[in-house]
């Protein structure tokens, strides 16, 4: 899992652990404990050559990867031949047939009411932690957008409409 400290990453790590998978995640030094708290079995330093650091742990490569950090082709060497890669932000792969690509689109996922219902149940059961980074008054919504665009927000910014 790249981008493991982010919201998507945290959920993916927790769901993967719930499914019984061994989870390798990347994280900045300041986020290692956070990522481990989600359930990651191995945490490698984020940044250049994450794929190489993953291959140090799993020389044959991993079976699958969720690329929440949008590293695209840079992280593909971490995945073994025939493995799967879930991509975000409309990237559909590098055109090779060595790997199976699974683009994840928010619009499509939002229509899967069965998935959303399962996520709600897992949140209510405490399996998924809903992380709120800050509550921002609605009149400061532009500030919230700027913070999100700058990156590094750990959790969701909630607009208070009251």
């Amino acid at each position: 899992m790249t981008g493991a400290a982010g919201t998507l990453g945290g959920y993916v790590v927790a769901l993967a652990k719930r499914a019984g998978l061994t989870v390798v995640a990347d994280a900045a030094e300041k986020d290692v404990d956070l990522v481990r708290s989600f359930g990651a079995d191995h945490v490698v330093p984020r940044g250049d050559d994450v794929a190489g650091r993953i291959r140090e742990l799993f020389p044959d490569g991993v079976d699958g990867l969720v690329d929440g950090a949008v590293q695209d082709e840079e992280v593909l060497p971490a995945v073994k031949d025939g493995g799967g890669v879930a991509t975000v932000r409309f990237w559909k792969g590098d055109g090779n047939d060595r790997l199976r690509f699974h683009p994840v689109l928010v619009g499509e996922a939002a229509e899967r009411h069965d998935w959303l219902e399962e996520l709600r149940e897992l949140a209510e059961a405490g399996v998924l932690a809903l992380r709120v980074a800050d509550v921002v008054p609605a009149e400061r919504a532009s500030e919230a957008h700027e913070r999100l665009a700058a990156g590094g927000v750990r959790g969701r910014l909630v607009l208070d409409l009251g």
Side-chain angles (χ1 to χ4, degrees):
M1 174 77 225
T2 66
T7 301
L8 172 65
Y11 293 149
V12 169
V13 170
L15 292 169
K17 282 310 298 176
R18 183 173 184 275
L21 301 175
T22 299
V23 177
V24 180
D26 75 340
E29 187 174 327
K30 67 182 174 117
D31 292 323
V32 169
D33 289 340
L34 174 66
V35 171
R36 285 194 191 284
S37 77
F38 301 149
D41 298 293
H42 306 278
V43 180
V44 299
R46 67 177 265 189
D48 293 338
D49 200 27
V50 167
R53 288 189 285 283
I54 293 171
R55 284 281 184 152
E56 288 174 11
L57 295 170
F58 295 88
D60 294 331
V62 293
D63 293 314
L65 181 121
V66 177
D67 185 20
V70 194
Q71 294 185 25
D72 300 334
E73 62 276 340
E74 294 175 27
V75 76
L76 299 183
V79 184
K80 66 175 65 169
D81 286 355
V85 181
T87 64
V88 296
R89 304 225 175 116
F90 304 101
W91 195 67
K92 295 182 180 179
D94 65 351
N96 80 49
D97 60 358
R98 184 181 78 80
L99 304 172
R100 294 172 287 116
F101 292 93
H102 308 278
V104 177
L105 303 173
V106 172
E108 290 177 10
E111 293 177 3
R112 290 293 308 265
H113 298 281
D114 56 327
W115 291 353
L116 296 174
E117 181 65 19
E118 181 180 2
L119 291 174
R120 182 194 58 76
E121 290 170 1
L122 292 173
E124 286 180 354
V127 174
L128 292 180
L130 302 180
R131 297 181 294 148
V132 175
D134 199 2
V135 178
V136 180
E139 60 270 10
R140 292 181 24 221
S142 62
E143 175 188 315
H145 281 279
E146 290 171 5
R147 287 175 61 188
L148 283 174
V153 176
R154 299 296 176 245
R156 286 289 153 221
L157 297 174
V158 177
L159 292 180
D160 182 352
L161 302 176

